[in-house]
Amino acid sequence: LGNQFLSHIRETQAIVVVLRVFRDPDIIHVESSVDAARDLEIIESELVLKDLDSVGKRLAKAESEARSGKKEALADRDELARVEKFLADGQPLSGSAELLAFAAGSRAVRELNLLTAKRQIFLLNGEEAEVPEGLKKKMAGLGGEFLVADLAAADHVPDLIKKAYEALGLISFFTTGEDETRAWTIERGTLAPRAAGVIHTDFENRFIRMEVVPCDKLLEAGGWTQAKQKGWLRVEGKEYEVKDGDVIVVRHG
């Protein structure tokens, strides 16, 4: 697809940037040498150019609408112009906490789902000793998390999933019974009724309380009844923030 694939990832919440750091001479690099910092600059430049194109098209429309004197159109024009200037300097939005916050607060910019405003996770293919310090500084400057893994092995997948959860501020809680045990994904800080609604909308609307035990305590106890006898089971109300690893039972009307 070439760069057409950039349009397909616009709806994602995060981007995993895969960079080669291993130095095996038998595996040819498209640029004829292994330089992950250079590769990162190329990738970020492509993302910036795509965003610049998106902002430019929307800005042209906003400028046309602003001629009518519409207050909303004038605000959109000014906000888009500020972002366009930053991108035109070759800077990804992820490199500026101030611009990221500005983009998140601007309706016109937020609607564009800009690629450089997304969370980035850098997946480095190789070993820790092969990661240059300069690359670490570049990744830190882009506000991204990084993970070093041998992509020839499948055991990197759990670590990547955990890193993605961290980057997106996600956690998992569990429900369990005779038939199945299941994990549910929510944003960190979600209150009990909203978390219950992920299981079923009726649970949120008719929420009464939630019985909770951490999964490690449930496993240690050997069962729900045993955890209750040990005093490890808690009853929580509507203001409880569900924690990562909670095992819950929802009581509802």
Side-chain angles (χ1 to χ4, degrees), residues 78-89:
D78 294 344
E79 290 168 1
L80 290 162
R82 179 182 177 185
V83 171
E84 183 187 51
K85 185 177 185 305
F86 190 80
L87 292 168
D89 289 336

Side-chain angles (χ1 to χ4, degrees), residues 58 75-77 79-80 103 105-113:
R58 181 65 185 87
D76 288 351
R77 179 199 63 189
E79 290 168 1
L80 290 162
S106 166
R107 177 191 54 80
V109 178
R110 194 169 59 246
E111 286 177 350
L112 293 175
N113 282 330

Side-chain angles (χ1 to χ4, degrees), residues 170-196:
L170 300 176
I171 62 170
S172 293
F173 70 91
F174 301 93
T175 53
T176 189
E178 291 183 6
D179 296 330
E180 68 171 1
T181 295
R182 190 166 168 184
W184 307 85
T185 300
I186 56 173
E187 292 183 359
R188 190 177 298 279
T190 298
L191 298 182
R194 184 74 178 272

Side-chain angles (χ1 to χ4, degrees), residues 106-138:
S106 166
R107 177 191 54 80
V109 178
R110 194 169 59 246
E111 286 177 350
L112 293 175
N113 282 330
L114 297 178
L115 298 173
T116 63
K118 296 183 185 297
R119 297 276 188 178
Q120 291 191 13
I121 301 166
F122 302 106
L123 182 55
L124 310 182
N125 189 4
E127 298 180 2
E128 187 76 42
E130 297 173 304
V131 182
E133 287 301 316
L135 176 62
K136 291 181 181 179
K137 289 180 181 178
K138 282 182 180 293

Side-chain angles (χ1 to χ4, degrees), residues 54-238:
S54 299
V55 171
K57 289 175 181 175
R58 181 65 185 87
L59 178 57
K61 183 180 178 183
E63 287 174 337
S64 176
E65 293 170 345
R67 293 191 190 99
S68 65
K70 277 185 177 180
K71 192 173 181 181
E72 191 177 83
L74 289 167
D76 288 351
R77 179 199 63 189
D78 294 344
E79 290 168 1
L80 290 162
R82 179 182 177 185
V83 171
E84 183 187 51
K85 185 177 185 305
F86 190 80
L87 292 168
D89 289 336
Q91 301 298 317
L93 295 181
S94 57
S96 168
E98 181 186 347
L99 257 293
L100 273 179
F102 174 78
S106 166
R107 177 191 54 80
V109 178
R110 194 169 59 246
E111 286 177 350
L112 293 175
N113 282 330
L114 297 178
L115 298 173
T116 63
K118 296 183 185 297
R119 297 276 188 178
Q120 291 191 13
I121 301 166
F122 302 106
L123 182 55
L124 310 182
N125 189 4
E127 298 180 2
E128 187 76 42
E130 297 173 304
V131 182
E133 287 301 316
L135 176 62
K136 291 181 181 179
K137 289 180 181 178
K138 282 182 180 293
M139 293 185 295
L142 292 168
E145 304 273 347
F146 79 88
L147 175 68
V148 184
D150 177 5
L151 300 192
D155 58 4
H156 71 276
V157 175
D159 291 334
L160 178 58
I161 292 170
K162 288 177 183 176
K163 190 65 74 175
Y165 265 57
E166 289 172 14
L168 295 171
L170 300 176
I171 62 170
S172 293
F173 70 91
F174 301 93
T175 53
T176 189
E178 291 183 6
D179 296 330
E180 68 171 1
T181 295
R182 190 166 168 184
W184 307 85
T185 300
I186 56 173
E187 292 183 359
R188 190 177 298 279
T190 298
L191 298 182
R194 184 74 178 272
V198 173
I199 303 169
H200 196 290
T201 52
D202 284 350
F203 290 2
E204 180 175 5
N205 299 333
R206 300 176 181 179
F207 182 88
I208 297 175
R209 65 183 183 276
M210 180 179 282
E211 294 173 6
V212 183
V213 60
C215 62
D216 57 342
K217 288 297 184 183
L218 181 60
L219 291 169
E220 184 181 337
W224 196 263
T225 302
Q226 296 93 319
K228 188 173 183 178
Q229 291 170 346
K230 289 178 179 291
W232 293 343
L233 187 145
R234 308 187 314 274
V235 176
E236 301 287 359
K238 294 182 177 180

